[in-house]
Coordinates of all heavy atoms in Angstrom, one line a residue:
M1 N 7.3 -3.5 16.9 CA 6.9 -2.7 15.8 C 8.0 -1.9 15.3 O 8.7 -1.2 16.1 CB 5.7 -1.9 16.1 CG 5.3 -0.9 15.0 SD 4.0 0.3 15.4 CE 3.3 -0.2 16.9
R2 N 8.3 -1.9 14.0 CA 9.3 -1.1 13.5 C 8.9 0.4 13.4 O 7.7 0.6 13.1 CB 9.7 -1.6 12.1 CG 10.4 -2.9 12.2 CD 10.8 -3.4 10.8 NE 11.5 -2.3 10.0 CZ 12.8 -2.2 9.9 NH1 13.6 -3.0 10.4 NH2 13.3 -1.2 9.2
K3 N 9.8 1.3 13.5 CA 9.5 2.7 13.4 C 9.0 3.0 12.0 O 8.2 3.9 11.8 CB 10.8 3.5 13.7 CG 10.6 5.0 13.7 CD 11.8 5.7 14.1 CE 12.5 6.1 12.8 NZ 13.7 6.9 13.0
D4 N 9.5 2.3 11.0 CA 9.1 2.6 9.6 C 7.6 2.4 9.3 O 7.1 3.1 8.5 CB 9.9 1.7 8.7 CG 11.4 1.9 8.8 OD1 11.8 3.0 9.3 OD2 12.1 1.0 8.4
N5 N 7.0 1.5 10.0 CA 5.6 1.2 9.7 C 4.7 1.6 10.8 O 3.5 1.2 10.8 CB 5.5 -0.4 9.5 CG 6.2 -0.8 8.3 OD1 6.2 -0.1 7.3 ND2 6.8 -2.0 8.3
A6 N 5.1 2.4 11.7 CA 4.2 2.9 12.8 C 3.0 3.6 12.4 O 1.9 3.4 12.8 CB 5.0 3.7 13.8
I7 N 3.2 4.5 11.4 CA 2.1 5.4 11.0 C 1.1 4.5 10.2 O -0.1 4.6 10.5 CB 2.6 6.6 10.2 CG1 3.3 7.5 11.1 CG2 1.4 7.3 9.5 CD1 4.0 8.7 10.5
P8 N 1.5 3.7 9.2 CA 0.4 2.9 8.6 C -0.3 1.9 9.5 O -1.5 1.7 9.4 CB 1.2 2.1 7.5 CG 2.4 3.0 7.2 CD 2.8 3.6 8.5
L9 N 0.4 1.4 10.5 CA -0.2 0.5 11.4 C -1.2 1.2 12.3 O -2.3 0.7 12.6 CB 0.8 -0.3 12.2 CG 1.6 -1.4 11.5 CD1 2.7 -1.9 12.3 CD2 0.6 -2.5 11.0
A10 N -0.8 2.4 12.8 CA -1.7 3.2 13.6 C -2.9 3.7 12.8 O -4.0 3.7 13.3 CB -0.9 4.4 14.1
S11 N -2.7 4.0 11.5 CA -3.8 4.3 10.7 C -4.8 3.2 10.5 O -6.0 3.4 10.6 CB -3.3 4.8 9.3 OG -4.3 5.1 8.5
L12 N -4.3 2.0 10.3 CA -5.2 0.8 10.2 C -5.9 0.6 11.6 O -7.1 0.2 11.6 CB -4.4 -0.4 9.8 CG -4.1 -0.5 8.4 CD1 -3.2 -1.7 8.1 CD2 -5.3 -0.5 7.5
A13 N -5.2 0.8 12.7 CA -5.9 0.7 14.0 C -7.0 1.7 14.2 O -8.1 1.4 14.7 CB -4.8 0.8 15.1
L14 N -6.8 2.9 13.7 CA -7.8 4.0 13.8 C -9.0 3.6 12.9 O -10.1 3.8 13.3 CB -7.2 5.3 13.3 CG -6.5 6.1 14.4 CD1 -5.9 7.4 13.7 CD2 -7.5 6.6 15.4
W15 N -8.7 3.1 11.7 CA -9.8 2.6 10.9 C -10.7 1.5 11.6 O -11.9 1.6 11.6 CB -9.3 2.0 9.6 CG -9.2 3.0 8.5 CD1 -8.1 3.6 8.0 CD2 -10.3 3.5 7.6 NE1 -8.4 4.5 7.0 CE2 -9.7 4.4 6.7 CE3 -11.6 3.2 7.6 CZ2 -10.5 5.0 5.8 CZ3 -12.4 3.8 6.7 CH2 -11.9 4.7 5.8
G16 N -10.0 0.5 12.2 CA -10.7 -0.5 12.9 C -11.5 0.0 14.1 O -12.6 -0.4 14.3
A17 N -10.8 0.9 14.8 CA -11.5 1.4 16.0 C -12.8 2.2 15.6 O -13.8 2.2 16.2 CB -10.6 2.3 16.8
S18 N -12.6 3.0 14.5 CA -13.8 3.8 14.1 C -14.9 2.9 13.6 O -16.1 3.2 13.8 CB -13.4 4.9 13.1 OG -13.0 4.2 11.9
L19 N -14.6 1.9 12.8 CA -15.6 1.0 12.3 C -16.3 0.2 13.5 O -17.5 0.1 13.5 CB -15.0 0.0 11.3 CG -14.6 0.6 10.0 CD1 -13.9 -0.4 9.1 CD2 -15.8 1.2 9.3
A20 N -15.5 -0.2 14.5 CA -16.1 -0.9 15.6 C -17.0 0.1 16.4 O -18.0 -0.3 16.9 CB -14.9 -1.4 16.5
Y21 N -16.6 1.3 16.5 CA -17.4 2.3 17.3 C -18.7 2.6 16.6 O -19.7 2.6 17.2 CB -16.6 3.6 17.5 CG -17.4 4.6 18.2 CD1 -17.5 4.5 19.6 CD2 -17.9 5.7 17.6 CE1 -18.3 5.4 20.3 CE2 -18.7 6.7 18.3 CZ -18.8 6.5 19.7 OH -19.5 7.4 20.4
V22 N -18.6 2.7 15.2 CA -19.9 3.0 14.5 C -20.8 1.8 14.6 O -22.0 1.9 14.7 CB -19.6 3.3 13.0 CG1 -20.8 3.3 12.2 CG2 -18.9 4.7 12.9
W23 N -20.2 0.6 14.6 CA -21.0 -0.6 14.7 C -21.7 -0.7 16.1 O -22.9 -1.1 16.2 CB -20.2 -1.9 14.5 CG -20.9 -3.1 14.6 CD1 -21.9 -3.6 13.7 CD2 -20.8 -4.1 15.6 NE1 -22.4 -4.8 14.2 CE2 -21.7 -5.1 15.3 CE3 -20.1 -4.2 16.8 CZ2 -21.9 -6.2 16.2 CZ3 -20.2 -5.3 17.6 CH2 -21.1 -6.3 17.3
T24 N -21.0 -0.3 17.2 CA -21.5 -0.3 18.5 C -22.6 0.7 18.7 O -23.5 0.5 19.5 CB -20.5 -0.1 19.6 OG1 -19.8 1.1 19.4 CG2 -19.5 -1.3 19.6
I25 N -22.6 1.8 18.0 CA -23.6 2.9 18.2 C -24.7 2.8 17.2 O -25.6 3.6 17.1 CB -23.0 4.3 18.3 CG1 -22.4 4.7 16.9 CG2 -22.0 4.4 19.4 CD1 -22.1 6.2 16.8
S26 N -24.7 1.8 16.3 CA -25.6 1.7 15.2 C -27.1 1.6 15.7 O -28.0 1.9 14.9 CB -25.2 0.6 14.3 OG -25.3 -0.7 14.9
G27 N -27.3 1.1 16.9 CA -28.7 0.9 17.4 C -29.2 2.1 18.1 O -30.4 2.2 18.5
Q28 N -28.4 3.2 18.2 CA -28.9 4.4 18.9 C -29.8 5.2 18.0 O -29.7 5.2 16.8 CB -27.7 5.2 19.3 CG -26.8 4.6 20.4 CD -25.7 5.5 20.8 OE1 -25.5 6.6 20.3 NE2 -24.8 5.0 21.7
P29 N -30.7 5.9 18.6 CA -31.7 6.7 17.8 C -31.0 7.8 17.0 O -31.5 8.1 15.9 CB -32.6 7.4 18.9 CG -32.4 6.6 20.1 CD -31.1 5.9 20.0
R30 N -29.9 8.3 17.4 CA -29.2 9.3 16.6 C -28.7 8.7 15.3 O -28.3 9.5 14.4 CB -28.2 10.1 17.4 CG -27.1 9.2 17.8 CD -26.2 9.9 18.8 NE -25.1 9.1 19.2 CZ -23.9 9.4 19.3 NH1 -23.5 10.6 19.0 NH2 -22.9 8.6 19.7
M31 N -28.5 7.4 15.2 CA -28.0 6.8 14.0 C -29.2 6.2 13.1 O -29.0 5.4 12.2 CB -27.1 5.6 14.4 CG -25.7 6.0 14.9 SD -24.7 6.7 13.5 CE -24.4 5.2 12.6
A32 N -30.4 6.6 13.4 CA -31.6 6.1 12.7 C -31.5 6.4 11.2 O -31.9 5.6 10.4 CB -32.8 6.7 13.2
D33 N -30.9 7.5 10.8 CA -30.7 7.8 9.4 C -29.5 7.3 8.8 O -29.2 7.5 7.6 CB -30.8 9.3 9.2 CG -29.7 10.1 9.9 OD1 -28.9 9.5 10.7 OD2 -29.6 11.3 9.7
G34 N -28.7 6.5 9.5 CA -27.5 5.9 9.0 C -26.2 6.7 9.1 O -25.2 6.3 8.6
G35 N -26.3 7.9 9.7 CA -25.1 8.7 9.8 C -25.3 9.7 10.9 O -26.3 9.9 11.5
L36 N -24.2 10.4 11.2 CA -24.2 11.4 12.3 C -23.9 12.8 11.6 O -23.0 12.9 10.9 CB -23.2 11.1 13.3 CG -23.4 9.9 14.2 CD1 -22.2 9.7 15.1 CD2 -24.6 10.0 15.0
S37 N -24.7 13.8 12.0 CA -24.4 15.1 11.6 C -23.6 15.8 12.7 O -23.4 15.3 13.8 CB -25.7 15.9 11.3 OG -26.5 16.0 12.4
G38 N -23.2 17.0 12.4 CA -22.3 17.7 13.4 C -22.9 18.0 14.7 O -22.3 17.9 15.8
D39 N -24.2 18.2 14.8 CA -24.8 18.5 16.1 C -25.1 17.2 16.9 O -25.4 17.3 18.1 CB -26.1 19.3 15.9 CG -27.1 18.7 15.0 OD1 -26.7 17.8 14.2 OD2 -28.3 19.0 15.1
E40 N -25.1 16.1 16.2 CA -25.3 14.8 16.9 C -24.0 14.2 17.4 O -24.1 13.2 18.2 CB -25.9 13.8 15.9 CG -27.3 14.2 15.4 CD -27.8 13.3 14.3 OE1 -27.0 12.7 13.6 OE2 -29.0 13.1 14.3
M41 N -22.9 14.7 17.0 CA -21.6 14.1 17.4 C -21.0 14.7 18.7 O -21.2 15.9 18.9 CB -20.6 14.2 16.3 CG -20.8 13.3 15.2 SD -19.4 13.3 14.0 CE -19.8 14.7 13.0
S42 N -20.4 13.9 19.5 CA -19.6 14.4 20.6 C -18.2 14.9 20.1 O -17.9 14.7 19.0 CB -19.5 13.4 21.7 OG -18.6 12.3 21.2
L43 N -17.5 15.5 21.0 CA -16.2 16.0 20.7 C -15.2 14.9 20.3 O -14.4 15.0 19.4 CB -15.6 16.8 21.9 CG -14.3 17.6 21.6 CD1 -14.5 18.6 20.5 CD2 -13.8 18.3 22.9
I44 N -15.3 13.8 21.0 CA -14.5 12.6 20.7 C -14.8 12.1 19.3 O -13.9 11.7 18.5 CB -14.6 11.5 21.8 CG1 -14.0 12.1 23.1 CG2 -14.0 10.2 21.4 CD1 -14.3 11.2 24.3
E45 N -16.1 12.0 19.0 CA -16.5 11.5 17.6 C -16.0 12.5 16.5 O -15.6 12.0 15.5 CB -18.0 11.4 17.6 CG -18.5 10.3 18.5 CD -20.0 10.3 18.7 OE1 -20.7 11.3 18.5 OE2 -20.5 9.2 19.1
M46 N -16.1 13.8 16.8 CA -15.5 14.7 15.8 C -14.0 14.5 15.6 O -13.5 14.6 14.5 CB -15.9 16.1 16.2 CG -17.3 16.5 16.0 SD -17.5 18.2 16.4 CE -19.3 18.3 16.6
A47 N -13.3 14.3 16.7 CA -11.9 14.1 16.7 C -11.5 12.9 15.9 O -10.6 12.8 15.1 CB -11.3 14.0 18.1
M48 N -12.3 11.8 16.1 CA -12.1 10.6 15.3 C -12.4 10.8 13.9 O -11.7 10.2 13.0 CB -12.9 9.4 15.9 CG -12.6 8.1 15.3 SD -13.5 6.7 15.9 CE -12.9 6.6 17.6
M49 N -13.4 11.5 13.6 CA -13.8 11.8 12.2 C -12.7 12.5 11.5 O -12.5 12.4 10.3 CB -15.1 12.6 12.1 CG -15.6 12.8 10.7 SD -17.1 13.9 10.7 CE -16.4 15.5 10.9
L50 N -11.9 13.3 12.2 CA -10.8 14.1 11.6 C -9.5 13.2 11.6 O -8.7 13.3 10.6 CB -10.5 15.4 12.3 CG -9.4 16.2 11.8 CD1 -9.7 16.7 10.4 CD2 -9.2 17.4 12.7
A51 N -9.3 12.4 12.6 CA -8.1 11.6 12.7 C -8.0 10.5 11.7 O -6.9 10.3 11.2 CB -8.0 11.0 14.1
V52 N -9.0 9.9 11.4 CA -9.0 8.8 10.4 C -8.5 9.2 9.0 O -7.6 8.6 8.5 CB -10.3 8.0 10.4 CG1 -10.4 7.0 9.2 CG2 -10.6 7.3 11.7
P53 N -9.1 10.3 8.4 CA -8.6 10.7 7.1 C -7.2 11.2 7.1 O -6.4 11.0 6.2 CB -9.6 11.7 6.6 CG -10.6 11.8 7.6 CD -10.4 11.0 8.8
L54 N -6.9 11.9 8.2 CA -5.5 12.5 8.3 C -4.5 11.3 8.4 O -3.4 11.4 7.8 CB -5.4 13.4 9.5 CG -6.0 14.8 9.4 CD1 -5.9 15.6 10.7 CD2 -5.4 15.5 8.2
A55 N -4.8 10.3 9.1 CA -3.9 9.1 9.2 C -3.8 8.4 7.9 O -2.7 7.9 7.5 CB -4.3 8.2 10.3
T56 N -4.9 8.4 7.2 CA -4.9 7.7 5.9 C -4.0 8.5 4.9 O -3.2 7.9 4.2 CB -6.3 7.6 5.3 OG1 -7.1 6.9 6.2 CG2 -6.4 7.0 3.9
F57 N -4.1 9.8 4.9 CA -3.3 10.6 4.0 C -1.8 10.5 4.4 O -0.9 10.5 3.6 CB -3.7 12.1 4.0 CG -5.0 12.4 3.2 CD1 -6.1 13.0 3.8 CD2 -5.1 12.0 1.9 CE1 -7.2 13.2 3.1 CE2 -6.2 12.2 1.2 CZ -7.3 12.8 1.8
A58 N -1.5 10.4 5.7 CA -0.2 10.2 6.2 C 0.4 8.9 5.6 O 1.5 8.8 5.2 CB -0.1 10.3 7.7
S59 N -0.4 7.8 5.7 CA 0.0 6.5 5.2 C 0.2 6.6 3.7 O 1.2 6.0 3.1 CB -1.0 5.5 5.5 OG -1.1 5.3 6.9
M60 N -0.7 7.3 3.0 CA -0.5 7.5 1.5 C 0.8 8.2 1.2 O 1.6 7.8 0.3 CB -1.7 8.2 0.9 CG -2.9 7.5 0.9 SD -4.3 8.5 0.4 CE -3.9 9.0 -1.3
F61 N 1.1 9.3 2.0 CA 2.3 10.0 1.8 C 3.6 9.1 2.0 O 4.5 9.2 1.2 CB 2.4 11.2 2.7 CG 3.7 11.9 2.7 CD1 4.0 12.8 1.6 CD2 4.6 11.8 3.7 CE1 5.2 13.5 1.6 CE2 5.8 12.5 3.7 CZ 6.1 13.3 2.6
I62 N 3.6 8.3 3.0 CA 4.7 7.4 3.3 C 4.9 6.4 2.2 O 6.0 6.2 1.7 CB 4.5 6.7 4.7 CG1 4.7 7.7 5.8 CG2 5.5 5.6 4.8 CD1 4.4 7.2 7.2
A63 N 3.8 5.8 1.7 CA 3.9 4.9 0.7 C 4.4 5.5 -0.6 O 5.2 4.9 -1.3 CB 2.5 4.2 0.5
M64 N 3.9 6.7 -0.9 CA 4.3 7.4 -2.2 C 5.7 7.8 -2.1 O 6.5 7.7 -3.1 CB 3.4 8.6 -2.5 CG 2.0 8.2 -2.9 SD 0.9 9.5 -3.4 CE 0.8 10.5 -1.9
R65 N 6.2 8.2 -0.9 CA 7.6 8.6 -0.7 C 8.5 7.4 -0.9 O 9.5 7.5 -1.6 CB 7.8 9.2 0.7 CG 9.2 9.7 0.9 CD 9.3 10.2 2.3 NE 9.2 9.1 3.2 CZ 9.1 9.2 4.5 NH1 9.1 10.4 5.1 NH2 9.0 8.2 5.3
R66 N 8.1 6.3 -0.4 CA 8.9 5.1 -0.6 C 9.0 4.6 -2.1 O 10.0 4.2 -2.6 CB 8.4 3.9 0.3 CG 8.6 4.1 1.7 CD 8.0 2.9 2.5 NE 8.0 3.2 3.9 CZ 7.5 2.3 4.8 NH1 7.0 1.2 4.4 NH2 7.5 2.6 6.1
A67 N 7.8 4.7 -2.7 CA 7.8 4.4 -4.1 C 8.6 5.3 -5.0 O 9.3 4.9 -5.9 CB 6.3 4.4 -4.6
Y68 N 8.6 6.6 -4.6 CA 9.4 7.6 -5.3 C 10.9 7.3 -5.1 O 11.7 7.3 -6.1 CB 9.1 9.0 -4.9 CG 9.9 10.1 -5.5 CD1 9.7 10.5 -6.8 CD2 11.0 10.7 -4.8 CE1 10.5 11.5 -7.3 CE2 11.8 11.6 -5.3 CZ 11.5 12.1 -6.6 OH 12.3 13.0 -7.2
W69 N 11.3 7.0 -3.9 CA 12.7 6.7 -3.6 C 13.2 5.5 -4.3 O 14.3 5.3 -4.7 CB 13.0 6.6 -2.1 CG 13.0 7.9 -1.4 CD1 13.2 9.2 -2.0 CD2 12.9 8.1 0.0 NE1 13.1 10.1 -1.0 CE2 13.0 9.5 0.2 CE3 12.7 7.3 1.1 CZ2 12.9 10.0 1.5 CZ3 12.6 7.8 2.3 CH2 12.7 9.2 2.5
N70 N 12.3 4.5 -4.5 CA 12.6 3.3 -5.2 C 12.5 3.4 -6.7 O 12.8 2.5 -7.5 CB 11.8 2.1 -4.7 CG 12.2 1.7 -3.4 OD1 13.4 1.8 -3.0 ND2 11.3 1.3 -2.5
G71 N 12.0 4.5 -7.2 CA 11.9 4.7 -8.7 C 10.7 4.0 -9.3 O 10.7 3.7 -10.5
S72 N 9.7 3.7 -8.5 CA 8.6 2.9 -9.0 C 7.4 3.9 -9.3 O 6.6 4.2 -8.4 CB 8.1 1.8 -8.0 OG 7.0 1.2 -8.5
R73 N 7.2 4.3 -10.5 CA 6.1 5.2 -10.9 C 4.8 4.5 -10.8 O 3.8 5.1 -10.4 CB 6.3 5.7 -12.3 CG 7.4 6.8 -12.4 CD 7.3 7.4 -13.7 NE 8.3 8.5 -13.8 CZ 8.4 9.3 -14.8 NH1 7.7 9.1 -15.9 NH2 9.3 10.2 -14.7
F74 N 4.8 3.2 -11.1 CA 3.5 2.4 -11.0 C 3.0 2.5 -9.6 O 1.8 2.9 -9.4 CB 3.7 1.0 -11.4 CG 2.5 0.1 -11.1 CD1 1.4 0.2 -11.8 CD2 2.5 -0.7 -9.9 CE1 0.3 -0.6 -11.5 CE2 1.4 -1.5 -9.6 CZ 0.3 -1.4 -10.4
W75 N 3.8 2.2 -8.6 CA 3.3 2.2 -7.2 C 3.0 3.6 -6.7 O 2.2 3.8 -5.9 CB 4.3 1.5 -6.3 CG 4.1 0.0 -6.3 CD1 4.9 -0.9 -6.9 CD2 3.0 -0.7 -5.8 NE1 4.4 -2.2 -6.8 CE2 3.2 -2.1 -6.1 CE3 1.8 -0.4 -5.1 CZ2 2.3 -3.1 -5.8 CZ3 0.9 -1.4 -4.8 CH2 1.2 -2.7 -5.1
L76 N 3.8 4.6 -7.2 CA 3.6 6.0 -6.8 C 2.2 6.4 -7.2 O 1.4 6.9 -6.4 CB 4.6 6.9 -7.4 CG 4.4 8.4 -7.2 CD1 4.8 8.7 -5.7 CD2 5.3 9.2 -8.1
F77 N 1.8 6.2 -8.4 CA 0.5 6.6 -8.9 C -0.6 5.6 -8.4 O -1.8 6.1 -8.1 CB 0.4 6.6 -10.4 CG 1.2 7.8 -11.0 CD1 2.3 7.6 -11.7 CD2 0.8 9.1 -10.7 CE1 3.0 8.6 -12.2 CE2 1.5 10.2 -11.2 CZ 2.6 9.9 -11.9
A78 N -0.3 4.4 -8.2 CA -1.3 3.5 -7.6 C -1.7 3.9 -6.2 O -2.8 3.9 -5.8 CB -0.8 2.0 -7.6
C79 N -0.7 4.3 -5.4 CA -0.9 4.7 -4.0 C -1.6 6.1 -4.0 O -2.4 6.3 -3.0 CB 0.4 4.8 -3.2 SG 1.2 3.2 -2.9
L80 N -1.4 6.9 -5.0 CA -2.0 8.2 -5.0 C -3.5 8.0 -5.4 O -4.4 8.7 -4.8 CB -1.4 9.1 -6.1 CG -2.0 10.4 -6.3 CD1 -1.9 11.3 -5.1 CD2 -1.3 11.1 -7.5
L81 N -3.8 7.1 -6.3 CA -5.2 7.0 -6.8 C -6.1 6.0 -6.1 O -7.3 6.2 -6.0 CB -5.1 6.6 -8.3 CG -4.4 7.6 -9.2 CD1 -4.3 7.1 -10.6 CD2 -5.2 9.0 -9.2
L82 N -5.5 5.0 -5.5 CA -6.2 4.0 -4.8 C -5.6 3.9 -3.4 O -4.6 3.1 -3.1 CB -6.1 2.6 -5.5 CG -6.7 2.6 -6.9 CD1 -6.3 1.3 -7.6 CD2 -8.2 2.8 -6.9
W83 N -6.2 4.6 -2.4 CA -5.6 4.7 -1.1 C -5.5 3.3 -0.4 O -4.5 3.2 0.4 CB -6.4 5.6 -0.2 CG -7.8 5.3 0.1 CD1 -8.9 5.7 -0.6 CD2 -8.3 4.4 1.1 NE1 -10.0 5.1 -0.1 CE2 -9.7 4.3 1.0 CE3 -7.7 3.7 2.1 CZ2 -10.5 3.6 1.9 CZ3 -8.5 3.0 3.0 CH2 -9.9 2.9 2.9
P84 N -6.3 2.3 -0.6 CA -6.0 1.0 0.1 C -4.6 0.4 -0.4 O -4.0 -0.3 0.4 CB -7.1 0.1 -0.3 CG -8.3 1.0 -0.6 CD -7.6 2.2 -1.2
L85 N -4.2 0.7 -1.6 CA -2.9 0.1 -2.1 C -1.8 0.8 -1.3 O -0.7 0.2 -1.3 CB -2.8 0.3 -3.6 CG -3.7 -0.5 -4.4 CD1 -3.5 -0.2 -5.9 CD2 -3.4 -2.0 -4.2
A86 N -2.0 1.9 -0.7 CA -0.9 2.5 0.1 C -0.6 1.7 1.3 O 0.6 1.5 1.6 CB -1.3 3.9 0.5
Y87 N -1.6 1.1 1.9 CA -1.3 0.2 3.0 C -0.6 -1.1 2.5 O 0.3 -1.6 3.2 CB -2.6 -0.2 3.7 CG -3.3 1.0 4.4 CD1 -4.4 1.6 3.9 CD2 -2.7 1.5 5.6 CE1 -5.0 2.6 4.6 CE2 -3.3 2.6 6.2 CZ -4.4 3.1 5.7 OH -5.0 4.2 6.3
V88 N -1.1 -1.6 1.4 CA -0.4 -2.8 0.8 C 1.0 -2.6 0.5 O 1.9 -3.4 0.9 CB -1.2 -3.3 -0.5 CG1 -0.4 -4.4 -1.2 CG2 -2.6 -3.7 -0.1
Y89 N 1.3 -1.5 -0.1 CA 2.7 -1.2 -0.5 C 3.6 -0.9 0.8 O 4.7 -1.4 0.9 CB 2.8 0.1 -1.4 CG 4.1 0.3 -1.9 CD1 4.7 -0.5 -2.9 CD2 4.9 1.4 -1.5 CE1 6.0 -0.3 -3.3 CE2 6.2 1.7 -1.9 CZ 6.7 0.8 -2.9 OH 8.0 1.1 -3.3
A90 N 3.0 -0.1 1.7 CA 3.8 0.3 2.9 C 4.1 -0.9 3.8 O 5.1 -1.0 4.4 CB 3.2 1.4 3.6
L91 N 3.1 -1.8 4.0 CA 3.2 -2.8 5.0 C 3.6 -4.2 4.4 O 4.1 -5.0 5.2 CB 1.8 -3.0 5.7 CG 1.4 -1.7 6.5 CD1 0.0 -1.9 7.1 CD2 2.4 -1.5 7.6
L92 N 3.4 -4.4 3.1 CA 3.7 -5.8 2.6 C 4.8 -5.8 1.6 O 5.6 -6.7 1.5 CB 2.4 -6.4 2.0 CG 1.2 -6.6 3.0 CD1 0.0 -7.1 2.2 CD2 1.7 -7.6 4.1
I93 N 4.8 -4.8 0.7 CA 5.8 -4.8 -0.4 C 7.1 -4.1 0.0 O 8.1 -4.7 0.0 CB 5.1 -4.2 -1.7 CG1 4.0 -5.1 -2.1 CG2 6.2 -4.0 -2.8 CD1 3.2 -4.6 -3.2
N94 N 7.0 -2.8 0.3 CA 8.2 -2.0 0.7 C 8.1 -1.8 2.2 O 7.4 -0.8 2.6 CB 8.3 -0.8 -0.1 CG 9.5 0.0 0.2 OD1 10.2 -0.2 1.2 ND2 9.9 0.9 -0.7
R95 N 8.8 -2.5 3.0 CA 8.6 -2.4 4.4 C 9.5 -1.5 5.2 O 9.4 -1.4 6.4 CB 8.7 -3.8 5.0 CG 7.6 -4.7 4.4 CD 7.8 -6.1 4.8 NE 7.3 -6.2 6.2 CZ 7.0 -7.3 6.8 NH1 7.2 -8.4 6.2 NH2 6.5 -7.3 8.0
T96 N 10.5 -0.9 4.5 CA 11.5 0.0 5.2 C 11.7 1.2 4.4 O 11.6 1.3 3.2 CB 12.8 -0.8 5.3 OG1 13.3 -1.1 4.0 CG2 12.7 -2.0 6.2
D97 N 12.0 2.3 5.2 CA 12.4 3.5 4.6 C 13.9 3.4 4.2 O 14.7 2.9 5.0 CB 12.3 4.7 5.6 CG 10.9 5.2 5.6 OD1 10.2 5.1 4.6 OD2 10.5 5.7 6.7
L98 N 14.3 3.9 3.0 CA 15.7 3.9 2.6 C 16.5 5.1 3.0 O 17.7 5.0 3.2 CB 15.7 3.7 1.1 CG 15.1 2.5 0.5 CD1 15.1 2.5 -1.0 CD2 15.8 1.2 1.0
H99 N 15.8 6.2 3.3 CA 16.5 7.4 3.6 C 16.2 7.9 5.0 O 15.2 7.7 5.5 CB 16.2 8.5 2.6 CG 16.7 8.3 1.3 ND1 15.9 7.7 0.3 CD2 17.9 8.5 0.7 CE1 16.6 7.5 -0.8 NE2 17.8 8.0 -0.6

């Protein structure tokens, strides 16, 4: 794995892990209403709830920084407004940091 793409790849792994975890606990009584409130979550679940959006924002920042350095306003605003495009840009279109 290249150092340039470690954060977006780790962020996608966190997304996958959190979705798999929610799927595995979906049959539990505490998930009867379709979600977990603060008193129903363990410390690990709270940490995952915080880690996933932080990793997503980090991936957005990396993608927007790369677009800015390349002078692409389209991708800069696309990554800002549509967070899934940040992964597309960082992992498929612009795969390396220039600076």
Side-chain angles (χ1 to χ4, degrees):
M1 170 185 353
R2 291 182 48 98
K3 183 179 98 173
D4 300 339
N5 293 325
I7 291 175
L9 288 173
S11 178
L12 283 177
L14 275 172
W15 268 100
S18 66
L19 290 174
Y21 181 73
V22 168
W23 181 70
T24 59
I25 67 168
S26 63
Q28 294 182 1
R30 63 188 180 137
M31 285 289 290
D33 60 354
L36 295 175
S37 62
D39 58 337
E40 296 173 328
M41 286 191 276
S42 68
L43 187 60
I44 293 173
E45 291 166 342
M46 286 184 194
M48 187 179 293
M49 185 182 78
L50 181 62
V52 171
L54 287 177
T56 301
F57 285 126
S59 296
M60 288 172 62
F61 174 75
I62 288 171
M64 289 186 297
R65 184 182 66 190
R66 290 180 188 178
Y68 176 78
W69 284 343
N70 286 325
S72 176
R73 285 189 176 184
F74 169 77
W75 279 108
L76 177 73
F77 289 115
C79 293
L80 177 66
L81 299 174
L82 300 169
W83 62 267
L85 288 180
Y87 293 108
V88 171
Y89 185 73
L91 297 174
L92 298 176
I93 295 173
N94 184 342
R95 300 176 75 164
T96 59
D97 280 330
L98 298 175
H99 293 95

